[in-house]
Amino acid sequence: MVSNELLETVATLSVDERLELIAHIEHTLDEPEAVPPDAEQHALAVRRLAEMRADPTLGMSFDEHLEAARQLFA
């Protein structure tokens, strides 16, 4: 949770300073974190993979995802 003090400080920034802060935050999010999934996340992925193998009509192919992404930016 973000502290109220930080929120108040951000509120005092100019538009240019806020945009610079956004860029900085986005840059730090691009840095990969080597955090393996926990047991619950792993179990969920295994279940979903089994479901998709049992019923290939579930989910989307890579090509379908790619086309959907292209449509978002069209």
Side-chain angles (χ1 to χ4, degrees), residues 2-66:
V2 178
S3 71
N4 286 336
E5 182 181 347
L6 179 57
L7 294 175
E8 291 169 4
T9 301
V10 170
T12 65
L13 299 175
S14 70
V15 172
D16 287 340
E17 291 169 326
R18 290 180 192 198
L19 291 173
E20 185 177 337
L21 178 59
I22 290 169
H24 173 73
I25 291 170
E26 287 177 341
H27 175 73
T28 62
L29 293 176
D30 290 342
E31 296 174 3
E33 292 185 28
V35 179
D38 62 28
E40 183 179 340
Q41 293 167 328
H42 180 72
L44 176 61
V46 169
R47 281 195 311 272
R48 289 184 177 174
L49 178 59
E51 291 169 359
M52 290 182 70
R53 285 184 173 155
D55 183 359
T57 63
L58 295 174
M60 296 169 63
S61 70
F62 176 77
D63 290 335
E64 291 170 322
H65 278 288
L66 191 56

